[in-house]
Amino acid sequence: MTQPQTKTPDWLGIWNTARDRLRRQLGGATFDAWIGKLVLLEFSKDDLKFGAPKPFVRNWVTNNFTGRIEKALRAAGGVPASITIVLQETEAPRVGGGLPTQEKPPASAPVSEAAGAAQPSQPVAERLLFARLPKPALSFAAFVEGPANALALRAARTFAEDDTDDISLLFIHGGFGFGKTHLLNATALEARRRGKRALLLGSEDMMRQFLGALGRRDTLSFKEELRAADMLLIDDLQHLCRSSSTMSELLHTLNAYSDLRRKVVIAGDKPPGAMENLGPDVRSRLCGGLAIGLEKPDRATRLAILKARAEEFFRLRPQEAIPEETLARLADVDDTTPRDLVGFFHNLTVHLGVTKNPQALNVAVDAMVSRGPLPPKTSIDDIQRKTAEYYKLDPRDFLSAQRSRRVARPRQVAMFLARTITERSLPDIGRRFGGRDHTTVLHACRRIAALCAEDPTFKQEIEYLRTALLKR
C-alpha cells in the first residue's frame, strides 16, 4: 500500500503573506531596512533559506528578527523546520515555475550599505548602539521598594510586562542617586526576558553615536537601528539637551515610536516641564506621557536597602557579618539617597576587611554619621532660581532678550555667581543664559565685582545669595 504524499506548502505565497504581516507589525521604515531586503532562495523539506544583500543585514536579521519571521510564517499557515539567513549579493534564482520568489531589492541603497559593501569591518550591532546590555544585578528583584519609589516601580514593571499600548511613554525623574538608572535597567532586563527587543542607551551614548554617524554621513543606518527596537530606554536625558541636533533626532524617534505603537522609557533629573533647552515640540511630546518622580527614601526604606546589601555581603563572605545595630545607625542619617547608602556600606565593608573586627565598626560609623552625605554641588539652575526668587523675577526672564534694569542687573548677578560658585566656563554659562556670548558673561562678572567694591550694601546682597546657595 503506497503512502500518501505530503503536500508541499506554498512557501512563496506563505512568505508574501508573512511579509505583509511583518510590515504591519514593524512599520514601513524598519521593514524596508531589514525584512524587505530578504529573498527566499530555497524551501526544500520546509527548511527555508533566505538571502540577504549585505553581511551586516544578514547578521542583524539573524540576531534580531528570526523569531518574528518564524511567528509570521506560522501565522500565515506555514511550519518551517528551520530558517537560515545567508549572504546573497546576486539576483535571486527563479524557483517554482520560473517565477522569482520576490521583487528584487531596489537599486538605491542607503549610504551605510554602500559604505559597508566594500569592507564590512564589523556587524552593525557592534558598530553602533546595540552592544550595551542591561546589568543582571540591577533587576526588579534587587530594587528595594518604599513610599518614595513605589509608584515609579509599579509603572516600570507594567511597562516591561504589559503589551498594551494605552500609555507609550514613561518619564521617570528624580535627583542623582535616587534609583532612576536601576529602574531603567530592570525594565530592559524584564522586557528582554519576555522576548522583547529592549534598547537601553545613556544619553551620552546616543549623542556620541549620532554625531559619529553625522561625521561618517551614515545617519540613515543610525536612524533605522535606533527605531528597530520594541522598547527604547534613554537614561540621563538632561545631558542630551546640550545638542540641538540630537534633540531634533530624539523628537523624530519619539514620533516614530508613537506611530509604531511602541514604548519609550526616559529618565531625567527633573520633570519634562522643568527641563531646560527642550524645544516646545519635544517638551509637549514628553509631557504627553506618564511622568513619575522619585524622592529620597524614608528611614524604613534606608534600613531595608542596607539590610539587602548586608545579606548579599554575608552570602559571599559568611565569616564577616555586619551587626544590625550598625546598619540601624547608618539608616538614621537623614537626607541620604540610595547611592549615599551604598557608599556608606562599601565604606563599612572596606573597614571590616582591614580590621577583621565587627566591633570596631563603630569608629567608621561615627565618622560617617558626623559627616553625613556630601553636600550637593550648586548648579546654574539653582543659582538662577535663587537669584530670581530674591529679585522677584521669573527664572525665564534670565533667558529672555529683555534689557531693562529690572532684569539686566539680576541677570548679571546670576552670571557672576555662576562664574564664582560653579566650575562652568564662560561660554557654557552664556549658553545657559539664553545663548549669550562669553564676552557678555565676562562683562557681567566685571561689572558686579566693581559694584561690590563700590557699594557695601550691594556686596551684602551678593554674599547673602552666595551663602544661601552654598548652604542649600
Side-chain angles (χ1 to χ4, degrees), residues 8-13 16 39-44 92-102:
T8 303
D10 178 16
W11 282 113
L12 295 179
N16 285 332
V39 177
L40 181 57
L41 301 177
E42 298 177 10
F43 43 82
S44 60
R94 300 180 181 272
V95 182
L99 295 175
T101 60
Q102 69 177 70

Side-chain angles (χ1 to χ4, degrees), residues 37-280:
K37 299 184 183 302
L38 299 183
V39 177
L40 181 57
L41 301 177
E42 298 177 10
F43 43 82
S44 60
K45 298 182 181 179
D46 297 341
D47 294 317
L48 307 187
K49 180 182 292 186
F50 294 90
K54 304 296 176 187
F56 70 83
V57 175
R58 175 198 60 195
N59 296 340
W60 189 249
V61 173
T62 300
N63 293 331
N64 298 279
F65 289 105
T66 304
R68 282 182 175 270
I69 293 173
E70 181 179 356
K71 289 181 180 178
L73 290 169
R74 290 179 179 274
V79 184
S82 66
I83 295 176
T84 307
I85 314 292
V86 299
L87 183 63
Q88 176 66 32
E89 295 185 338
T90 60
E91 184 174 355
R94 300 180 181 272
V95 182
L99 295 175
T101 60
Q102 69 177 70
E103 67 273 17
K104 184 179 178 180
S108 58
V111 177
S112 59
E113 293 180 26
Q119 188 177 0
S121 57
Q122 51 185 327
V124 70
E126 296 177 6
R127 285 194 297 111
L128 289 179
L129 302 173
F130 307 119
R132 178 175 176 177
L133 298 176
K135 298 178 181 178
L138 299 180
S139 63
F140 283 130
F143 191 86
V144 178
E145 181 178 356
N149 59 34
L151 183 58
L153 174 60
R154 286 197 292 271
R157 277 188 181 276
T158 301
F159 257 65
E161 299 172 357
D162 191 4
D163 290 328
T164 61
D165 51 10
D166 296 335
I167 299 177
S168 60
L169 192 149
L170 172 62
F171 193 101
I172 301 174
H173 59 89
F176 300 109
F178 281 30
K180 302 185 298 296
T181 299
H182 191 149
L183 281 180
L184 259 66
N185 194 98
T187 304
L189 275 176
E190 180 62 23
R192 289 189 176 213
R193 190 183 71 81
R194 292 172 177 268
K196 301 176 185 176
R197 185 162 176 278
L199 172 58
L200 176 61
L201 289 174
S203 60
E204 294 285 356
D205 298 334
M206 181 176 174
M207 182 166 57
R208 183 174 60 253
Q209 298 289 2
F210 177 64
L211 294 178
L214 281 176
R216 298 190 304 269
R217 298 182 181 180
D218 195 16
T219 57
L220 182 59
S221 291
F222 175 89
K223 293 172 186 285
E224 289 171 347
E225 295 170 65
L226 185 63
R227 300 169 193 179
D230 300 312
M231 177 183 292
L232 175 65
L233 304 99
I234 301 176
D235 198 8
D236 290 326
L237 179 67
Q238 67 274 6
H239 300 315
L240 197 64
C241 298
R242 302 172 186 169
S243 169
S244 58
S245 59
T246 50
M247 289 307 297
S248 176
E249 178 57 32
L250 174 65
L251 175 63
H252 296 319
T253 300
L254 293 178
N255 289 336
Y257 270 79
S258 177
D259 293 341
L260 294 172
R261 306 181 76 83
R262 298 179 189 166
K263 296 182 179 179
V264 179
V265 185
I266 297 178
D269 62 343
K270 300 173 189 172
M275 297 192 74
E276 295 184 359
N277 300 326
L278 286 181

Side-chain angles (χ1 to χ4, degrees), residues 309-385:
R309 290 280 172 170
E311 290 174 1
E312 178 65 16
F313 179 76
F314 182 73
R315 186 181 67 83
L316 297 175
R317 297 162 67 176
Q319 73 281 6
E320 297 181 1
I322 297 178
E324 186 167 336
E325 57 270 20
T326 300
L327 302 178
R329 287 192 62 198
L330 287 179
D332 288 334
V333 181
D334 292 328
D335 200 32
T336 50
T337 69
R339 185 177 296 167
D340 295 329
L341 296 170
V342 172
F344 286 166
F345 187 81
H346 286 165
N347 199 319
L348 275 185
T349 58
V350 171
H351 193 87
L352 183 60
V354 172
T355 63
K356 306 298 183 182
N357 181 10
Q359 302 305 319
L361 291 177
N362 290 331
V363 177
V365 173
D366 290 340
M368 286 185 282
V369 169
S370 61
R371 183 184 69 216
L374 293 175
K377 290 185 177 181
T378 303
S379 68
I380 293 179
D381 294 338
D382 300 325
I383 293 171
Q384 290 175 337
R385 282 195 297 269

Side-chain angles (χ1 to χ4, degrees), residues 264-313:
V264 179
V265 185
I266 297 178
D269 62 343
K270 300 173 189 172
M275 297 192 74
E276 295 184 359
N277 300 326
L278 286 181
D281 43 8
V282 179
R283 192 185 307 277
S284 174
R285 174 64 73 182
L286 295 178
C287 290
L290 176 62
I292 301 178
L294 295 171
E295 303 293 338
K296 289 185 179 179
D298 59 5
R299 186 189 182 281
T301 308
R302 296 197 297 267
L303 182 57
I305 292 172
L306 291 169
K307 284 184 175 180
R309 290 280 172 170
E311 290 174 1
E312 178 65 16
F313 179 76

